[in-house]
Amino acid sequence: MSETPFDEATGGLPSADGHNDLEFRDPEKARAIADTLERLGEELEDPPATIMHVCGSHEQSIAKFGIRSMLPDAVRLIMGPGCPVCITDMPEVDEAVALAEDGVTVATYGDMLKVPGTTRSLDDARAAGADVRIVYSAADVVEIAEEEDGEVVFFATGFETTAAPTAAVVLSEPPANLSILSAHKYVPPAMEIVAELPDTDIQGYLAAGNAAIITGSGIFEDLAERHELPVVVGGFEPLDILAGVTKLVEMIRDGEAGVENAYPRCVTREGNEPAQEQLWDVFEAVGGQWRGIAEIPGANLVLREEYAEYDARERFDIDADSLGADGASRLADDCICGDIMSGTAEPTDCEMFGKECTPDNPVGACMVSSEGTCKIWHEYGGRPNL
């Protein structure tokens, strides 16, 4: 008999054709899954089971729908480094600010505007007169460059989900006045690093379904094998998340490592292979800093030498070492965003949470982005008792 009450044929996961009986917001099914989780929690040999999800969109749904309040005490669900804005490093923001202040038109996603650099944000630069534009897709930047006579730089952030469209722009022979300041990141190496941190004690990953649409669920198989962990790819509706967590708890109870796909209506094992080809044609993975977490080998995406003509760092010879020389503020030094994104602290562990650091006046990157844990907890109250 299946462990979960909504899909007996697949052992708790949505069916492979993606059209099972998983209605996304069915309260009765949610309560039935919660009962299953309660029973599974009682069967764990060494509770609590710590599960890390790796996506800000997961955290938004978890907080908005009170999913943590449905979990038994034997299951602990924490957020990892899944907010692309939060892990964009200060020197990368400094580079974008410096270009904007030098008269270059800088375009980026809206969440990046208020992210503090060492001393200033792009929003500060815009307030001082710099030309900083918000875009909703990489393609928007091409239109801006076509309309402008001067140089336009796309401050490109995000994981595989946004890196692939950036690659497509580079391959489209964009206008000559357009270049890319890449702060794109690659998720799997960060999951490897976090899995090795002793304080997190992760026993399973709920992997981001949006990134896996590009890379496929198979990308996690080596990680699962090396760390002997279960990894379940999950979607973003409440029952998607509960299904993924339920499968993870089953695997933890059974001591089973490996990869399962709980988001088959969008994710395949192979992923979007044409998008992967474009991604790795344009970018290569190198070591780099993730804000507040660590220097992570192979986790930063930079343009390959063949596309240097579109690389803003080559075009403008940015001296990153000289930027932010007057240092970060004391408040930024006290920020614990790195601990929060590593799963070793919660927003409410930070003394500045909701005091010096608020969505209107963010100190740390986790309070800036709509996908940042601190901002989400500030909006929804963290761990509601529903």
Side-chain angles (χ1 to χ4, degrees), residues 33 47 59 80 156 171 176 181 188 192 205 222 230 262 272 285 290 309 321 344 378:
I33 297 171
E59 185 62 32
L171 293 171
L181 179 64
E192 297 253 11
Y205 272 119
D222 287 345
N272 185 332
W290 283 40
E309 63 182 303
D321 292 338
T344 59
H378 194 275

Side-chain angles (χ1 to χ4, degrees), residues 69 84 95 105 110 129 148 169 236 267 312 320 332 337 347:
S69 70
E95 290 177 313
T105 296
E148 295 294 325
V169 165
F236 302 97
V267 174
C337 277

Side-chain angles (χ1 to χ4, degrees), residues 136-187:
Y136 298 96
S137 72
D140 292 345
V141 184
V142 176
E143 295 182 10
I144 293 172
E146 289 173 341
E147 295 169 354
E148 295 294 325
D149 293 329
E151 292 287 341
V152 175
V153 169
F154 179 33
F155 184 33
T157 61
F159 301 126
E160 297 90 310
T161 316
T162 53
T166 302
V169 165
V170 172
L171 293 171
S172 68
E173 299 184 2
N177 62 335
L178 174 61
S179 57
I180 310 295
L181 179 64
S182 176
H184 282 307
K185 313 293 184 190
Y186 185 51
V187 171

Side-chain angles (χ1 to χ4, degrees), residues 112-128:
M112 288 306 304
L113 258 65
K114 288 190 176 181
V115 177
T118 307
T119 57
R120 289 179 293 280
S121 67
L122 281 169
D123 204 36
D124 295 330
R126 186 162 72 164

